[in-house]
Structures are given as C-alpha cells and as structure tokens.
Amino acid sequence: GAGVSQTPSNKVTEKGKYVELRCDPISGHTALYWYRQSLGQGPEFLIYFQGTGAADDSGLPNDRFFAVRPEGSVSTLKIQRTERGDSAVYLCASSFGGPQETQYFGPGTRLLVL
Amino acid sequence: AQSVTQLGSHVSVSEGALVLLRCNYSSSVPPYLFWYVQYPNQGLQLLLKYTSAATLVKGINGFEAEFKKSETSFHLTKPSAHMSDAAEYFCAVTSSNDYKLSFGAGTTVTVRA
C-alpha cells in the first residue's frame, strides 16, 4: 500500500516568506507526527495529532510555526516569517496511535530559507 | 523526559565483520525502544522495536538488538556486515506516557570492501 507522502520534496524560499508543507499519512492511521531534522542531527519532535486535534505541540519552537489536520487525515505545517535557521528537513510520520506503535515516516520536505 | 545517547557518531567496519551500534536510554517509566535506518536521500525505515515482550528483538536485514534494563541499553548488532548496510542509524525512545519519539544523534556506518 501507499506510504506517507510529503509535498513538496524541496522548497526554497526567501527570509520572511510564508511556507506550507503538506503530509498525507497512511490510510487508517489516526496519529500523525511532525519532526524536524537538521544536518547531522537526529529528528526532533514538533507536534503530534490524534485525529483532528493537536495532542502535543510542545516541540513547536515558537509561534511562527503552526500545524493543522482539519479532517483527521492530511496535515499542513505552516511557517510564517521564515528565518534562515528554519532550514532543515521536515519529516512527517503516521501510526495507529499507541506509543508502542511503529511510526512510518515520509521522505521529508527539504526547506531552504535564503 | 526521555532521551537516548548513541555512542560513536561514525562506525567503519569491514565487509563480513560484526556491526555493533550502541544506544543508552534514559526514562523514568518503562520505555519502548526503536532502531531506524536512513539511507541517503530516503526516509526513516524501522529496523526493529522493543515493546516489553522478548528482550532480544530480531529485525529486518539480519539486525537484532537486546534490551538490558540493568544497563539501560539497547545496542544494535549484525553478525556480518554487507555493503548495503552503509547508512545512518538512529535509536529512539517513547513510553506509555509520551508518544513522541526522542531520537539520538545518529551513527553513520561505512562498510569497507
């Protein structure tokens, strides 16, 4: 079956611009996660959805970052007033929802802020 | 709060030699532990996971890991390295009260012919 998909695969933007990153989870997965991976580091948690609601957004670095999942499937990560430090690979994962469940990752969106 | 520490950011092994990647965790509650592999320009793929059943866990591609509570470790091994094992490996932890994965910094494996 289809895995987690993310679009776009690459995004180049200018400092101060707004960007949206999209994640399509595996069908039937109730949980959806966003992580950010900087060069040479492990992924860092941003936000977790159970259904339509954000169950844990403690990893969002500041109020420029926001994510939605209005129908409990597709999710969009939104970044306002981008900064060069936002450059990273943004990873999305989905699972059946328990902490012991495997999180399946998408290929990521590589964001470059110039 | 949970965390993992991966000892050694780079490991180089000869083809056919043992692969050993070290992971130590910190958790105030019983952990769930995962090893993921990331090939160049690809997403993370699960190798294996420990979820409080058998302490010796077998995964894909001949990898296995052993959960040792007394040592707070979950080291990954493969008896005989193959060229295709060259990749970056991440250890991660969750628990019953924390669904998010906390990752280590990763270990890059290179395999010498």
Side-chain angles (χ1 to χ4, degrees), chain B residues 66-85:
Chain B
E66 186 171 9
F67 172 70
K68 292 187 176 181
K69 183 179 178 181
S70 61
E71 299 177 9
T72 62
S73 69
F74 190 57
H75 301 332
L76 181 71
T77 60
K78 181 174 180 177
S80 177
H82 190 272
M83 298 299 288
S84 61
D85 295 326

Side-chain angles (χ1 to χ4, degrees), chain B residues 90-110:
Chain B
F90 292 95
C91 182
V93 63
T94 67
S95 70
S96 59
N97 62 5
D98 193 358
Y99 285 31
K100 62 182 180 284
L101 285 165
S102 296
F103 285 89
T107 299
T108 300
V109 172
T110 57

Side-chain angles (χ1 to χ4, degrees), chain A residues 11 14 17 27 31 45 47 62-63 70 79-80 93-94 102-104 109:
Chain A
K11 176 71 177 178
E14 295 179 342
K17 299 291 188 182
S27 178
F45 169 77
I47 187 168
N62 51 61
D63 62 6
I79 310 174
Q80 298 177 321
S94 70
T102 298
Q103 293 183 28
Y104 294 87
T109 293

Side-chain angles (χ1 to χ4, degrees), chain A residues 92-113:
Chain A
C92 177
S94 70
S95 78
F96 284 114
Q100 76 280 15
E101 297 290 339
T102 298
Q103 293 183 28
Y104 294 87
F105 283 80
T109 293
R110 188 175 300 275
L111 175 66
L112 178 61
V113 181

Side-chain angles (χ1 to χ4, degrees), chain A residues 33 35 37 40-43 45 48 56 58 91 97-103 105-107, chain B residues 32 34 36 38 41-44 46 49 51 90 94-96 98-101 103-105:
Chain A
Y33 305 78
Y35 295 85
Q37 186 175 20
Q41 298 182 20
F45 169 77
Y48 153 55
D56 183 352
S58 62
L91 299 170
Q100 76 280 15
E101 297 290 339
T102 298
Q103 293 183 28
F105 283 80
Chain B
Y32 302 122
F34 304 78
Y36 282 87
Q38 188 173 37
N41 300 315
Q42 294 188 27
L44 291 156
L46 181 74
K49 65 180 181 181
T51 57
F90 292 95
T94 67
S95 70
S96 59
D98 193 358
Y99 285 31
K100 62 182 180 284
L101 285 165
F103 285 89

Side-chain angles (χ1 to χ4, degrees), chain A residues 21-25 32 34 49 51 68-76:
Chain A
L21 311 179
R22 176 187 168 107
C23 173
D24 281 88
L32 186 146
W34 285 99
F49 289 89
V68 295
R69 196 186 185 199
E71 298 179 357
S73 179
V74 171
S75 176
T76 304

